[in-house]
Amino acid sequence: MTTIRATGLVKRFGDNSVLNGVDLDVAEGEVVCVIGPSGSGKSTLLRCLNLLEIPTSGRVFIGDDEITADDAPVDALRRRVGMVFQSFNLFPHRTVLDNVALAPIAVLGVDKAAAHDRARALLGRVGLEDRAGEHPARLSGGQQQRVAIARALAMEPEAMLFDEVTSALDPELVKDVLGVMRSLAEGGMTMVVVTHEMGFAREVGDRVVFMDGGVIVEQGDPAQVLEAPRAERTKRFLSRVL
């Protein structure tokens, strides 16, 4: 079963064409890692999948529902896909527990006590249940990113989008965040991961997609794409990053 499907995605910013007809199907439980140079359209593709960016043309489906349809209930459909960004975007004046519980209370109408119970369980899942009463400023960058993942999971999404979530972290903090993402993949979460972490893509990804110039140049099994790429552009990129 397909969880996310994009067909013919085009995105232009003025005269700058960032996506040039991208087709992507993500199956239920699949982990798709998107790699490529800066400016290749990776993050824009991710943001178009939940309509944080409105495609210039093309269609996006979440399950059987088209989020790009004129009459689509965009907010309801967007809630089915969680997203974690490079920046943590936590509320600095709220505790870690409140950061995780806020959206289910405010958006889904979940009872406060139930939302807090769920938030504690999620913080335990990302290894931070002992920091529930802290404010974000007292956490490391890696811990804040794990809180951001717990916050996204609190909405009980069908799929998760990760936009270079380790790129702003010190190298020693990356491992813990990738460990949480690995555990999500092992639990069957559908994931689209824009990443520069080639080891993660090789070990955890079911498929690697290489983008450049706003198109998918090559995609396939991680071992094939990363170790025996077919496209010359993929070979040149990997020769610089591996």
Side-chain angles (χ1 to χ4, degrees), residues 3 7 16 35 39 54 65 88 94 105 133 156 166 173 188 206:
T3 300
T7 61
N16 183 25
I35 65 171
I54 307 299
D65 300 308
F88 322 124
R94 292 183 177 270
I105 294 170
E156 300 186 353
T166 60
L173 303 177
D206 296 303

Side-chain angles (χ1 to χ4, degrees), residues 100-195:
V100 176
L102 181 61
I105 294 170
V107 178
L108 301 181
V110 176
D111 173 77
K112 183 176 180 179
H116 280 187
D117 286 344
R118 168 77 172 155
R120 288 188 186 92
L122 288 170
L123 288 171
R125 190 172 178 182
V126 301
L128 291 172
E129 58 187 326
D130 61 330
R131 309 305 292 271
E134 301 278 8
H135 284 77
R138 295 182 60 84
L139 274 58
S140 70
Q143 289 170 330
Q144 291 186 58
Q145 193 60 285
R146 283 186 278 157
V147 173
I149 293 173
R151 178 182 57 186
L153 292 173
M155 297 295 286
E156 300 186 353
E158 299 169 27
M160 290 281 286
L161 310 177
F162 294 89
D163 187 11
E164 297 186 3
V165 296
T166 60
S167 64
L169 301 179
D170 292 334
E172 65 267 23
L173 303 177
V174 169
K175 183 178 179 181
D176 290 338
V177 174
L178 293 181
V180 170
M181 295 168 65
R182 183 176 285 106
S183 71
L184 290 177
E186 291 169 351
M189 176 63 75
T190 306
M191 298 163 58
V192 183
V193 183
V194 171
T195 186

